[in-house]
Amino acid sequence: MKIRPLLLLMITACFFLSCSKNQDKVISSELRLEINVTSIYADLLDELVVTVFDNENNNVTDRSRIFIDNNPINGNRFKTAEIKTFSVKASVNEKETSSKMFKAIRQTVNNFSKKIIMEEFAGTWCSFCTRFTYLIDTLVRSDNKIIPIQVHSGDILEYKFVQPMRNKFGVGSFPFGYLNRGQIWDESASMMQELLNKNSKLGLAISSTINNKTINATVKAKFDVTTSENLSIVVLLVEDSLVYPQANFYNYTPGSPFFGQGDPIPDYIHNNTLRAAATDIFGDKVPAAVQNKNETWEINYSFNAAAFNPSQCKVIAYIQYAENNVSRWGVLNAQVVRAGKNIGFD
C-alpha cells in the first residue's frame, strides 16, 4: 500500500511533462528574425522577405518555418492584396523568434512616371495602315507617355524577327496594335489610359552615345518593389524619317487626312520603325537578386547602326513579366531617348 503515493507522484509528473510538450514553443533569444521592410504594397507583387539567424549569426532561414499572423507560409516571402497590419515570426525546431509587425498599404504615389508600349504591326503595302498610324500618332502627341514602335512585315522595312513576333502575339491581319505586350488594342484612347493609370513599380533611365556607326546605351532600372517574379528586359532601336511609298485606301475618302495624297503616297514618312534589338526580342532575364526596393540595376548594350542613320534613331527600353498569365502580364514600365542623348528617372 505504501507504493501508491509514489506511483501517483510518477503519474502526475508524466502528466505535466506531457502537457508541457503541447504548450506554445519557447521564445528563444538564440534566434533573430529580420524583415527587409516595415511596409509593403498590397498589390500581390511587392514582397516581405524574412531572414532568420541563430545566436552565432548563421543564416538558418532554410531550416525555419515562417508564420504570418500565426499562419505558416511556404518559403520566406509574403505578398498580399489585403490592407492591414500583420505580425511575423519564425521557428526552428522547438524555438521561436519574437514577433515583428509590418503593414500592407495601398500605393498612393508613383515614384516614377508610368509609360506604355504600343507595337503597331504594319507594312508599306497595307492600305488601311495610314489611318491606324495616324490615330496612334494623334494619341502620342496628346500624351508622350505612349511609346510607339512600328513593326514592318513583307516590305523593305521588314524587321527580321517579325514572324516569331506575329506568331507569339497572334498577329493575323493588318494593321494590328499590341498594347503593352499583353492586349490587342481596340483603337480606343480609354484602353491606353487605363494602363497609364496603373501604378508604376519601377523606373528606367537611359544614357546613350553615338560612336561612328555604333550606338551605345546604358540602361538603369530602379525598383519600387521587392519581387521574385520572373521579369525580363527588352532594349530596341527604332528609326524615324524613313521615306517610302505607302499604300493608301483613303485617297478617295473626303475628310481623311490622306484624301488626295495618292495611292500609294509616294513620299510617306515612316517613323518609330523597329530596326534592331540589343536583347532577345522577347526579353532577356532580369537577375532576381537585383529586384529589390530602392535598388538600381545597370546594364550596357550596343547596336550596330551601319545600315541606319544614327541621328534619326531612338533607344527604347522596357521591363516586362517574362511570361503572361491571368494575373501577371505585360510591361511594368518603359523609357525612350533619342540616340546620343540621355534621360533620367522621371
Side-chain angles (χ1 to χ4, degrees):
M1 298 295 294
K2 293 181 180 180
I3 196 171
R4 288 182 179 176
L6 179 59
L7 182 60
L8 182 61
L9 181 62
M10 292 175 63
I11 292 172
T12 302
C14 289
F15 173 78
F16 282 109
L17 182 61
S18 175
C19 287
S20 67
K21 290 183 178 180
N22 293 323
Q23 292 176 348
D24 290 339
K25 296 176 181 178
V26 176
I27 295 177
S28 172
S29 60
E30 298 177 2
L31 296 175
R32 184 178 84 257
L33 178 145
E34 292 186 1
I35 53 179
N36 61 320
V37 289
T38 56
S39 67
I40 60 174
Y41 295 139
D43 59 2
L44 289 174
L45 177 66
D46 198 11
E47 296 173 341
L48 183 84
V49 182
V50 182
T51 311
V52 185
F53 299 92
D54 65 14
N55 63 334
E56 296 180 349
N57 212 38
N58 297 309
N59 188 326
V60 294
T61 308
D62 60 346
R63 296 192 286 115
S64 304
R65 285 191 85 190
I66 311 298
F67 297 84
I68 304 293
D69 285 352
N70 292 317
N71 298 311
I73 63 171
N74 292 323
N76 68 318
R77 290 173 175 261
F78 175 76
K79 54 191 175 185
T80 183
E82 189 176 6
I83 298 172
K84 60 170 286 188
T85 299
F86 294 87
S87 68
V88 56
K89 65 182 179 181
S91 69
V92 180
N93 299 325
E94 296 299 317
K95 297 178 180 179
E96 272 189 357
T97 67
S98 298
S99 295
K100 287 192 174 184
M101 310 301 291
F102 69 96
K103 294 180 179 180
I105 62 175
R106 179 180 292 108
Q107 185 178 356
T108 57
V109 176
N110 281 331
N111 290 316
F112 308 100
S113 66
K114 179 70 172 180
K115 301 179 181 69
I116 61 174
I117 294 293
M118 163 54 75
E119 289 169 301
E120 176 196 358
F121 289 81
T124 59
W125 49 267
C126 172
S127 296
F128 297 99
C129 284
T130 49
R131 177 194 59 81
F132 200 80
T133 302
Y134 183 82
L135 177 56
I136 293 172
D137 289 346
T138 300
L139 292 171
V140 170
R141 282 192 293 271
S142 66
D143 194 332
N144 62 8
K145 294 182 176 62
I146 303 167
I147 301 175
I149 301 167
Q150 193 170 82
V151 189
H152 279 252
S153 181
D155 62 20
I156 194 170
L157 298 174
E158 179 174 282
Y159 176 60
K160 63 181 178 178
F161 296 122
V162 66
Q163 194 57 54
M165 295 177 75
R166 289 177 60 179
N167 293 342
K168 188 174 182 67
F169 302 150
V171 181
S173 60
F174 286 69
F176 182 98
Y178 203 55
L179 187 55
N180 237 28
R181 283 281 169 108
Q183 291 179 305
I184 298 173
W185 186 42
D186 64 4
E187 301 190 29
S188 71
S190 60
M191 192 175 189
M192 289 190 179
Q193 193 59 52
E194 182 179 352
L195 291 174
L196 287 168
N197 289 341
K198 291 184 178 294
N199 291 318
S200 60
K201 305 302 181 181
L202 56 89
L204 291 158
I206 307 172
S207 57
S208 65
T209 59
I210 300 173
N211 184 8
N212 294 321
K213 288 292 186 175
T214 299
I215 297 174
N216 299 303
T218 298
V219 178
K220 295 180 181 180
K222 188 170 184 179
F223 291 84
D224 196 33
V225 293
T226 295
T227 181
S228 56
E229 289 283 344
N230 290 326
L231 305 180
S232 63
I233 184 170
V234 181
V235 181
L236 306 176
L237 190 73
V238 300
E239 188 174 8
D240 290 340
S241 304
L242 299 169
V243 181
Y244 289 95
Q246 174 65 48
N248 177 28
F249 176 83
Y250 305 96
N251 184 50
Y252 299 104
T253 305
S256 167
F258 304 101
F259 174 68
Q261 293 194 21
D263 182 16
I265 302 171
D267 54 356
Y268 187 87
I269 299 173
H270 301 264
N271 293 319
N272 308 303
T273 305
L274 178 57
R275 302 299 252 164
T279 60
D280 186 281
I281 191 60
F282 300 118
D284 290 347
K285 182 176 175 56
V286 177
V290 305
Q291 296 174 185
N292 299 315
K293 189 176 181 68
N294 296 324
E295 182 161 343
T296 300
W297 176 55
E298 179 177 316
I299 187 166
N300 297 314
Y301 298 96
S302 64
F303 298 92
N304 180 353
F308 319 132
N309 182 342
S311 66
Q312 295 176 176
C313 290
K314 292 178 286 192
V315 178
I316 297 172
Y318 50 96
I319 288 181
Q320 62 184 6
Y321 290 104
E323 292 293 337
N324 291 345
N325 58 47
V326 173
S327 61
R328 294 281 180 270
W329 59 268
V331 174
L332 281 81
N333 215 346
Q335 189 60 279
V336 59
V337 70
R338 179 71 58 182
K341 304 293 184 180
N342 305 326
I343 187 167
F345 300 110
D346 58 359

